Amino acid sequence: MSRRDRADVAVVGAGVIGLGAAWRAARRGLEVIVLDPAPGMGASWAAAGMLAPLSEATPREAALFPLASDSLDRWPAFAADLEADAGAEVGLRHEGTLAIALDDDDRRHLADVLDRSRNFGLSSEWLAGRACRRLEPALHPSVRGGFEIPTDLQVDNRAVVAALVGVVEARASLRRETVVEFRPGGNGRAHRLLTASGEVVEADQVVLATGAAASPIAGAPDACRPPVRPVRGDIARLKGDPDEPVLSRVVRAYVEGRFVYLVPRRNGEVVVGATSEEGGWRTASRAGAVHDLLHDAIAIVPALSELELVEVIGRLRPATPDNAPVIGQTALEGVLLATGHYRHGFLLCPVTADAVVAALLGEPGPSSVTPFTPARFS
Ligand code: GLY
């Protein structure tokens, strides 16, 4: 027999975005049910946790920068609240980023990136290779130079996900269930979500935070189907000694025209990321892509070759036609979208959660979110 449950809000998708919004909504007194067969195990599990509006700003995505900066500003309070609520640390770090170039072509490219970053307010100067090595002694002697981005932060993505799962389980209902059908309500009737095990969840409002889901939920009207495409990313995790960390800050590098980042964790681990491949829903890692990642990482920090390779994992980033997220009320009453966060799920989590909660409660939300409503794709 099917079980029916009711809440003020149903959140479909328990990645960092769905969990963050659900937690904040529950803290504001809303009854929330979150549905996901594997909470936190999608793109959020393979993220690096860089909170880097400047490092990740590309000319094509300039419109995203004010939103990303706003969310970065919200992170310290978001992390402190989450740590207090969960009773666990989430690894927020303030050392910033060092961007470096390995050869002369990479150096020319990175110098252009520095020029562009100045348009976004960065005041850093170009550093010679020796100055980069003073900051990070493990860098290869042939590193040509680079610059610092001191305002970037980072969190431990898996610690954030674990903390969010804990607080959502404590304050709301987290169902490890796949939603197979959406029966829209409206006009005073609740929306209904049917799960693979035959359960029915009713909610006055529904937040679709489904990330890069291969197939849309049956029955969901077009207005609730964001134009999301998958952009695959692979990362490798290397285990190091916490007492002798190889790096003290995030290093982003151009190596023979390719891009790689190295994210050191407090436990000595180094996350090496990430590939970026358009097209297809495959999640298994391609050998050549992982080879390039490790090759480039070791080219800039040779000591990484001695660390233990503990994991290689691929996931799909959810990207939209303008590579910016879709956040807010859809044309269907009581149905909100919070998806399409592409490379920036962790960075944009606090501002997205605040915007979703404001929309659920009928309050004014962060103005930085206004350009990213679902209406722009309708
Ligand atoms: N934000 C890092 C990545 O998507 O690879």
Side-chain angles (χ1 to χ4, degrees), residues 50 56 261 274 317 343:
M50 292 177 297
E56 301 246 22
Y261 52 76
R317 305 174 182 92
R343 303 180 69 87

Side-chain angles (χ1 to χ4, degrees), residues 8 66 83-84 94 106 181 262:
D8 298 321
E83 288 185 339
H94 298 260
D106 299 326
E181 193 180 331
L262 309 173

Side-chain angles (χ1 to χ4, degrees), residues 18-334:
L19 290 169
W23 170 54
R24 293 300 238 201
R27 272 170 56 113
R28 290 292 306 274
L30 293 168
E31 283 178 11
V32 182
I33 296 175
V34 183
L35 299 123
D36 191 317
M41 296 305 292
S44 303
W45 199 241
M50 292 177 297
L51 310 178
L54 262 171
S55 304
E56 301 246 22
T58 68
R60 201 183 145 211
E61 295 159 18
L64 200 55
F65 185 68
L67 179 71
S69 295
D70 184 359
S71 203
L72 184 74
D73 291 345
R74 291 167 196 257
W75 252 106
F78 185 90
D81 279 359
L82 182 55
E83 288 185 339
D85 218 0
E89 294 190 0
V90 298
L92 182 69
R93 292 180 58 165
H94 298 260
E95 293 89 347
T97 299
L98 178 64
I100 57 163
L102 190 63
D103 66 21
D104 284 333
D105 285 343
D106 299 326
R107 182 197 157 107
R108 275 189 285 280
H109 180 69
L110 193 62
D112 288 345
V113 175
L114 176 57
D115 277 349
R116 278 205 313 269
S117 302
R118 292 208 168 101
N119 298 334
F120 293 111
L122 184 70
S123 56
S124 298
E125 294 303 321
W126 182 261
L127 302 173
R130 192 176 300 169
C132 293
R133 282 188 292 282
R134 267 199 295 276
L135 294 171
E136 292 295 343
L139 292 178
H140 193 279
S142 64
V143 164
R144 289 287 193 277
F147 60 91
E148 277 193 279
I149 305 143
T151 47
D152 281 357
L153 306 176
Q154 67 141 304
V155 283
D156 180 331
N157 60 311
R158 294 184 178 182
V160 171
V161 162
L164 284 172
V165 166
V167 293
V168 167
E169 281 180 327
R171 290 181 177 269
S173 168
L174 179 54
R175 304 267 189 88
R176 286 165 172 79
E177 291 261 19
T178 304
V179 173
V180 291
E181 193 180 331
F182 179 27
R183 295 191 186 150
N187 294 325
R189 282 181 306 117
H191 299 290
R192 301 176 86 211
L193 298 165
L194 276 58
T195 73
S197 64
E199 298 197 356
V200 179
V201 169
E202 291 189 348
D204 297 326
Q205 302 194 76
V206 172
V207 180
L208 297 172
T210 41
S215 38
I217 301 169
D222 284 349
C224 317
R225 295 184 181 206
V228 166
R229 71 181 196 284
V231 181
R232 183 194 158 64
D234 297 295
I235 58 151
R237 300 174 87 91
L238 310 177
K239 186 173 155 194
D241 181 349
D243 297 326
E244 289 184 34
V246 178
L247 295 169
S248 61
R249 55 172 68 66
V250 174
V251 171
R252 301 169 68 91
Y254 290 92
V255 180
E256 298 161 16
R258 285 187 300 262
F259 169 67
V260 67
Y261 52 76
L262 309 173
V263 183
R265 300 282 196 233
R266 288 223 172 86
N267 64 2
E269 191 175 81
V270 179
V271 179
V272 180
T275 61
S276 202
E277 292 181 18
E278 298 267 355
W281 298 91
R282 182 179 55 87
T283 54
S285 296
R286 205 167 49 75
V290 177
H291 168 271
D292 288 349
L293 263 190
L294 293 176
H295 169 275
D296 296 348
I298 291 167
I300 53 173
V301 178
L304 292 179
S305 65
E306 298 306 317
L307 302 197
E308 190 183 329
L309 174 62
V310 286
E311 186 180 7
V312 171
I313 177 175
R315 290 289 189 269
L316 302 172
R317 305 174 182 92
T320 64
D322 59 10
N323 289 343
V326 218
I327 305 166
Q329 175 65 49
T330 66
L332 193 66
E333 185 190 329

